[in-house]
Amino acid sequence: MFTLYFSDEDYYKKIRSEIYNNMDNIIIVAGEWKSSGEYNKFITKIHGKKQVAIIKK
């Protein structure tokens, strides 16, 4: 499981829509991934558009 934290609510809403509309495509998220302290769960902070990329199949 991956958890994304956003510093801007408007950007969160935009990215959320893009992710849900492209669930059948490849979604790449760049960030400084850290363990959440739970088994197989990781978190990162999203600060800008360039951290999320969607590759169409």
Side-chain angles (χ1 to χ4, degrees):
M1 172 188 256
F2 297 104
T3 303
L4 307 177
Y5 288 100
F6 293 85
S7 56
D8 181 88
E9 186 174 343
D10 291 331
Y11 187 60
Y12 159 74
K13 290 177 182 177
K14 180 181 178 188
I15 291 299
R16 179 188 62 189
S17 296
E18 286 186 32
I19 289 173
Y20 283 127
N21 292 335
N22 290 287
M23 291 179 80
D24 57 333
N25 294 308
I26 298 170
I27 301 169
I28 300 172
V29 179
E32 188 175 331
W33 290 96
K34 297 179 182 181
S35 173
S36 68
E38 296 181 43
Y39 176 75
N40 212 19
K41 291 186 180 182
F42 303 92
I43 59 173
T44 193
K45 293 182 181 178
I46 303 296
H47 300 287
K49 290 184 198 180
K50 292 183 179 182
Q51 285 181 260
V52 179
I54 297 173
I55 300 174
K56 307 279 183 180
K57 289 183 179 179

